[in-house]
Amino acid sequence: MAFLSKGVHSMWRSTKLLQTLLPQVSQSFLCSSSELSSSSNSESESSVSLESGSHVIDTERIRNRKLLYPPQHSCDRIQSWVSTLSRLQDDKVGIIDLHPSIFGVHPRLDIIHENIKWQQKYKNIDFSRVRTRAEMPGGGRKPWRQKGTGRARHGSIRSPLWNKGGAAKGPRGPTSNFYMLPFGIRVLGLRTALSCKMAQNDLHIVDSLYIPAEDPDYLRDLVKSRAWGYSLLLVDDNDEVPQRLANALQQIPEYNVMPAYGLNVYSMLKHETVVLTLSAVEKIEERLLYHLHRSGCVQQKFRLPL
């Protein structure tokens, strides 16, 4: 009984202590939570307008980006860091979701080969041309009479049978090697090339093509510090290149820039690293997803306009 009374007395003292300390703890907790919320608000406000020199990084756009035709399964989710070219350090300014139907396709080397072969051949024109017997000079008279000489019958010394005669079935250029792949093969080739670059960690995303200086050494140091390799392909959503970047690229033939509407399989495989801006990613996904989900035959045959 004495043990029970001691236990009850200790419990009564602990409850009294809690009753006295509870208002102070709740007040301090409310103060700390308000400070935390204010600090988080100030942090979010500062993150919206991260400045790098005179360049403002729009982190709100990165954070609020949504996918067109979102994937049905969460296991298909693909994410990528977004960096900036305004600093030499590889500082990450955000992370975005990429569509698995564009950047997560199973690699098809046969499709890539078909696209590369098509791009190398469809623009070529063969200018090889040889002269026929009608175009060769001379040979107007019969070399000898038809009968009585014991020799074979000939009507001209420019016949294909003679030395220095005209060609019978030689090339008659210019000859075009133009042909067009089916539309679905070209779309799948772009998706496969982007997915292979993404899987090999050779595809990077930046907020814009802004660089603080037009010195080509800055661009070389940036690529070297980030281990982007020997050759670089920059892709933006339009064909207007910033002046500083254009001046820097003029002295570096290994680095090239192109708009998103000109992106192709051959250029992506020709360069070791592909860098896409956030606007280019949105443009590429919009166009390719449209062709994947549009009504009508994607494998339609190409027809030349009349």
Side-chain angles (χ1 to χ4, degrees):
M1 292 294 292
F3 174 75
L4 290 176
S5 62
K6 286 182 180 180
V8 170
H9 183 65
S10 61
M11 289 177 61
W12 178 78
R13 290 185 61 185
S14 61
T15 54
K16 283 291 185 181
L17 183 61
L18 283 175
Q19 289 177 0
T20 56
L21 292 179
L22 187 59
Q24 301 176 3
V25 171
S26 61
Q27 186 176 2
S28 63
F29 175 75
L30 289 175
C31 294
S32 62
S33 62
S34 63
E35 292 174 358
L36 181 62
S37 63
S38 63
S39 64
S40 64
N41 291 334
S42 63
E43 190 177 77
S44 63
E45 290 175 359
S46 62
S47 65
V48 170
S49 60
L50 289 175
E51 293 190 1
S52 175
S54 60
H55 176 56
V56 179
I57 301 173
D58 189 5
T59 57
E60 191 70 23
R61 178 188 177 188
I62 299 173
R63 191 162 47 245
N64 297 332
R65 168 179 151 80
K66 295 182 180 179
L67 294 178
L68 297 173
Y69 306 100
Q72 298 179 355
H73 306 287
S74 60
C75 61
D76 298 334
R77 190 176 183 184
I78 298 178
Q79 291 183 323
S80 175
W81 288 106
V82 179
S83 56
T84 179
L85 300 180
S86 58
R87 292 187 290 267
L88 285 177
Q89 298 80 12
D90 192 8
D91 296 334
K92 311 300 183 183
V93 298
I95 190 169
I96 61 171
D97 291 333
L98 300 176
H99 205 286
S101 298
I102 308 299
F103 296 94
V105 181
H106 183 75
R108 291 282 304 272
L109 298 183
D110 56 332
I111 298 296
I112 293 179
H113 173 69
E114 288 292 331
N115 279 268
I116 294 295
K117 185 174 69 173
W118 166 65
Q119 285 190 248
Q120 289 178 339
K121 287 187 176 181
Y122 84 99
K123 295 182 295 184
N124 292 345
I125 297 178
D126 186 10
F127 290 95
S128 301
R129 181 183 178 91
V130 295
R131 291 182 291 182
T132 62
R133 60 183 295 171
E135 297 170 342
M136 295 294 291
R141 62 180 288 272
K142 193 176 179 66
W144 50 77
R145 61 180 180 162
Q146 183 80 358
K147 295 178 179 295
T149 62
R151 289 179 288 188
R153 298 169 290 185
H154 289 286
S156 173
I157 62 173
R158 298 311 179 200
S159 169
L161 301 177
W162 285 66
N163 185 21
K164 298 182 181 180
K169 297 181 180 179
R172 300 289 293 173
T175 304
S176 173
N177 295 322
F178 176 82
Y179 73 98
M180 188 63 72
L181 281 180
F183 190 78
I185 302 296
R186 285 179 278 155
V187 172
L188 183 57
L190 286 173
R191 295 163 54 206
T192 304
L194 289 170
S195 301
C196 290
K197 285 291 184 180
M198 188 71 190
Q200 295 172 350
N201 199 24
D202 290 334
L203 189 144
H204 305 278
I205 299 173
V206 296
D207 61 329
S208 66
L209 295 182
Y210 171 83
I211 57 175
E214 59 182 18
D215 186 9
D217 292 335
Y218 173 83
L219 207 55
R220 288 193 183 97
D221 295 340
L222 185 141
V223 173
K224 184 177 180 180
S225 64
R226 302 186 185 186
W228 282 356
Y230 175 75
S231 56
L232 180 69
L233 178 64
L234 301 167
V235 183
D236 201 4
D237 63 332
N238 53 27
D239 50 7
E240 296 180 359
V241 183
Q243 186 64 36
R244 293 177 179 174
L245 181 64
N247 294 337
L249 290 176
Q250 285 181 356
Q251 305 180 39
I252 312 177
E254 298 85 13
Y255 302 165
N256 295 300
V257 62
M258 69 166 46
Y261 62 77
L263 189 63
N264 57 85
V265 178
Y266 184 80
S267 296
M268 282 191 283
L269 297 186
K270 181 181 178 181
H271 297 83
E272 189 172 352
T273 303
V274 178
V275 177
L276 306 176
T277 63
L278 191 59
S279 302
V281 171
E282 294 174 353
K283 190 70 174 180
I284 292 169
E285 286 187 348
E286 176 189 355
R287 297 306 300 165
L288 292 181
L289 288 173
Y290 165 74
H291 291 301
L292 288 178
H293 295 85
R294 72 172 184 174
S295 60
C297 181
V298 180
Q299 299 289 344
Q300 60 186 350
K301 189 174 181 180
F302 176 79
R303 296 181 182 276
L304 286 171
L306 299 177

